[in-house]
Amino acid sequence: MTDTVLREMRWWDIDPVLELERDLFPEDAWSRGMFWSELAHSRGPGASRRYVVAQAGERIVGYAGLASSGEQADVQTIAVARDQQGTGLGSRLLTELLRAATAFECAEVMLECRVDNTRAQKLYERFGFEPIGFRRGYYQPGNVDALVMRLTDPSSSVQGTEING
């Protein structure tokens, strides 16, 4: 079995990330331009984004991204290859995003999750996220509602956790 390593997402990761994105989210997959735009805000002075990929050997098996603005951060995306789901990789990716939120000095982290994605909701609840509302028809073109969740004090959710390969 190949160790899975988390590392910063770079421009050369966009094509394999897009393949995974289209497989996992066929109705509402992000475009190449959306990933380029997010990565443009993840480097240099004033960076407000953190994007990571999970790499097993030569293969990208997951990715995640966070945007920060002032005291609030937003989980933009978390994705885990189908054959890697249930392995704890989603938890590792979320932990890395919460570490980034802490580094950005954010007091809370928000996210939207499809109402029909109970597996993801359970992951977020384990980290202390609480449902606070809905966004009707948020995911298009399928017109699927989003559950809005919030975590206050992200630093407390990552204390004692460790990412390893």
Side-chain angles (χ1 to χ4, degrees), residues 1-119:
M1 182 175 147
T2 305
D3 283 344
T4 301
V5 176
L6 299 189
R7 63 170 176 78
E8 180 181 6
M9 185 187 292
R10 303 302 298 267
W11 66 266
W12 53 82
D13 297 315
I14 291 177
D15 283 343
V17 162
L18 275 173
E19 283 182 39
L20 198 50
E21 175 83 1
R22 290 176 184 140
D23 176 53
L24 295 169
F25 312 112
E27 284 190 356
D28 50 8
W30 282 23
S31 68
R32 180 182 316 278
M34 290 170 79
F35 280 107
W36 271 106
S37 177
E38 289 297 294
L39 289 182
H41 292 95
S42 68
R43 301 190 52 83
S48 61
R49 307 284 194 277
R50 172 79 168 135
Y51 277 78
V52 295
V53 293
Q55 186 169 346
E58 297 298 310
R59 182 175 164 228
I60 301 295
V61 295
Y63 56 91
L66 178 110
S68 69
S69 178
E71 291 192 353
Q72 182 176 311
D74 289 283
V75 172
Q76 300 294 306
T77 186
I78 294 183
V80 175
R82 293 179 195 281
D83 66 336
Q84 299 292 309
Q85 293 176 2
T87 66
L89 182 53
S91 291
R92 289 178 61 199
L93 289 164
L94 183 55
T95 297
E96 185 61 22
L97 295 185
L98 296 179
R99 283 193 174 132
T102 301
F104 285 131
E105 299 180 354
C106 295
E108 67 178 12
V109 179
M110 306 287 291
L111 61 81
E112 289 90 12
C113 180
R114 290 175 64 106
V115 293
D116 58 0
N117 190 346
T118 55
R119 178 181 229 156

Side-chain angles (χ1 to χ4, degrees), residues 99-150:
R99 283 193 174 132
T102 301
F104 285 131
E105 299 180 354
C106 295
E108 67 178 12
V109 179
M110 306 287 291
L111 61 81
E112 289 90 12
C113 180
R114 290 175 64 106
V115 293
D116 58 0
N117 190 346
T118 55
R119 178 181 229 156
Q121 290 170 34
K122 287 181 191 308
L123 167 68
Y124 301 136
E125 287 169 358
R126 282 197 314 267
F127 277 78
F129 282 85
E130 296 178 339
I132 61 167
F134 293 94
R135 294 189 196 275
R136 302 285 176 213
Y138 183 79
Y139 293 99
Q140 295 295 330
N143 202 37
V144 177
D145 295 344
L147 176 65
V148 180
M149 301 182 82
R150 177 178 60 206

